[in-house]
Amino acid sequence: MDNDSSSRIAVRLRTWIAGAAPGARLPSTRSLVAEYQASPVTVQKALQALTAQGLIESRPGVGTFVRAVRTARPSDYGWQTAALGSPQAPARSASTTMRSSANDVIAFHSGYPDGELLPERLVRAALTRAVRSDAALSRPPAPGLPELQSWFARELGASTPAGVTPPQPSDVVVLPGSQSGLSSIFRALVGHGQPLLVESPTYWGALLAAAQAGVRVIPVPSGPDGPDPEELARAFEETGARLFYAQPNYANPTGAQWAAQRGELVLEVVRQYGAFLVEDDWAHDFSITTTPVPIAARDDSGHVVYLRSLTKSVSPAIRVAAVIARGPARERILADRAAESMYVSGLLQAAALDVVTQPAWQTHLRSLRHQLQARRDLLVSSLREHAPQAHLSHVPKGGLNLWARLPDGTDLERLARDCESAGVIIAAGTEWFPAEPAGPFIRLNYAGPNPGAFPEGARIIGQAIERNSR
């Protein structure tokens, strides 16, 4: 009954408010009680409903008033056009790999492994211990926690052959993820407007970092066995570049792994031209049928700048990586990092160190190798059965992705739309090319969620390719 009465009062008051001026004072609660022959509680309910609708506002100790309607005017940011000027680098759209997806889709696009492939218990326990430690309240040294620097140096040193001086902890600079490391390396060692050699195709994040640093990207063709050393030498000769960015082990997106001899030849070319090789060892923890041996392990003269990340293998929430560089190059990189972020969270560094130094970490990596192999093989067999038009030039021996060549003339944008409308998200290969694509490619992540849906996802991709070719 009270609800009916309060609604009736609210309707009548709404009519009164419509004819009142903004800021007009409503009659007092006592007056409304007398006017509508209702209880104070019923009147208060009506006023609360009108307040919730934004029609009135209460001013304690003063009264209740008709709320002034504020008409939002569109903001004018035109002045910023002149203030900012033209961008130094064309804006690159956000990568498909960074898209979030609903649980009911088949997601082949992500750049990260699914949560069930991560060392969840180790991570949660490490974060709990880190929060209770001094790392939660102290500032770490700018180059990183000494214990974590030592761990990264030992990891690379374990692959160093006799006769080569292994890296020292002082050569290590801890980073808030390898992406920020790439930005610092390109700014500090290449410089604005200068040429940078990259594999083609290559990691889209490196292209983004290069664009923001304002360097000129020069593509060097690279296949399942890596770049041709003669082509690399020609690029150095013609451009005057002094830095080559590459992923020798399980490259993103192709999954290529250089043979040891190819790595030696590339390193010889880099030395010949007095240049740097930036080795991005992003998938070091994702080996399947081979063991990655960094090229940096065979260089002690400072030509190889080595990047190693823990973000994908430990947890995306723990963005910790490191760059190992020797000589003045290390100092320039550290100076750039100090200018941008000063230091990396000691809490995250402590947690990362805790995870990778637990005995259970190696147990996890052995299990992960088998899980990735099973997922990779399932997706390969599913594509061969349901989408034979998606050609795989090789099956990667590690990493997270398959790189598939599609028939000439395939409209990748249309293919991606058709797949998504059917519940499958794929990553068109266009964003991994620094120049014009060498053909229509797609990258498929086999470390995503729900591997049981891989055959169905491959079937949908095959049907979409078939429709696209008509």
Side-chain angles (χ1 to χ4, degrees), residues 89-342:
R92 295 180 65 94
S93 58
S95 171
T96 305
T97 65
M98 299 301 292
R99 284 184 53 186
S100 299
S101 59
N103 293 331
D104 59 347
V105 304
I106 304 172
F108 289 130
H109 68 294
S110 177
Y112 291 83
D114 185 49
E116 67 180 26
L117 297 177
L118 300 176
E120 179 181 350
R121 292 183 182 177
L122 290 177
V123 170
R124 292 188 184 280
L127 286 170
T128 299
R129 285 189 286 268
V131 167
R132 295 171 179 169
S133 72
D134 292 341
L137 298 173
S138 59
R139 177 183 63 82
L145 293 179
E147 300 87 351
L148 188 57
Q149 288 179 287
S150 296
W151 182 84
F152 277 112
R154 286 196 307 271
E155 282 283 294
L156 181 56
S159 301
T160 302
V164 177
T165 305
Q168 300 301 308
S170 58
D171 298 325
V172 178
V173 177
V174 178
L175 308 165
S178 60
Q179 184 65 31
S180 62
L182 288 174
S183 297
S184 288
I185 290 168
F186 295 159
R187 285 193 298 262
L189 304 187
V190 180
H192 190 275
Q194 298 303 306
L196 165 69
L197 304 185
V198 301
E199 292 179 286
S200 180
T202 193
Y203 170 47
W204 66 267
L207 299 178
L208 176 62
Q212 291 301 311
V215 303
R216 291 191 295 116
V217 172
I218 310 296
V220 177
S222 188
D225 300 318
D228 182 339
E230 293 185 1
E231 289 287 342
L232 178 62
R234 184 179 299 112
F236 273 123
E237 186 69 34
E238 293 178 351
T239 66
R242 288 295 178 265
L243 193 144
F244 174 43
Y245 168 80
Q247 295 180 332
N249 286 301
Y250 320 133
N252 179 5
T254 64
Q257 183 180 33
W258 302 1
Q261 184 179 10
R262 179 64 58 91
E264 290 285 359
L265 292 173
V266 168
L267 184 55
E268 184 180 325
V269 171
V270 169
R271 287 168 173 161
Q272 175 186 344
Y273 283 91
F276 293 100
L277 167 64
V278 175
E279 180 181 9
D280 186 351
D281 199 9
W282 75 280
H284 188 89
D285 297 323
F286 300 132
S287 61
I288 296 178
T289 57
T290 59
T291 299
V293 178
I295 293 177
R298 304 193 290 275
D299 172 66
D300 58 7
S301 54
H303 284 283
V304 182
V305 176
Y306 178 75
L307 270 172
R308 169 89 182 270
S309 176
L310 297 176
T311 301
K312 286 183 171 66
S313 55
V314 172
S315 168
I318 300 180
R319 288 195 61 79
V320 171
V323 57
I324 299 180
R326 310 194 199 202
R330 185 257 190 195
E331 302 309 316
R332 291 199 183 189
I333 294 169
L334 180 58
D336 187 273
R337 292 309 315 149
E340 181 164 305
S341 60
M342 295 189 181

Side-chain angles (χ1 to χ4, degrees), residues 17-38:
I17 291 169
R25 182 174 180 175
L26 271 70
S28 67
T29 300
R30 182 177 298 178
S31 300
L32 294 174
V33 166
E35 180 179 352
Y36 293 110
Q37 295 296 301

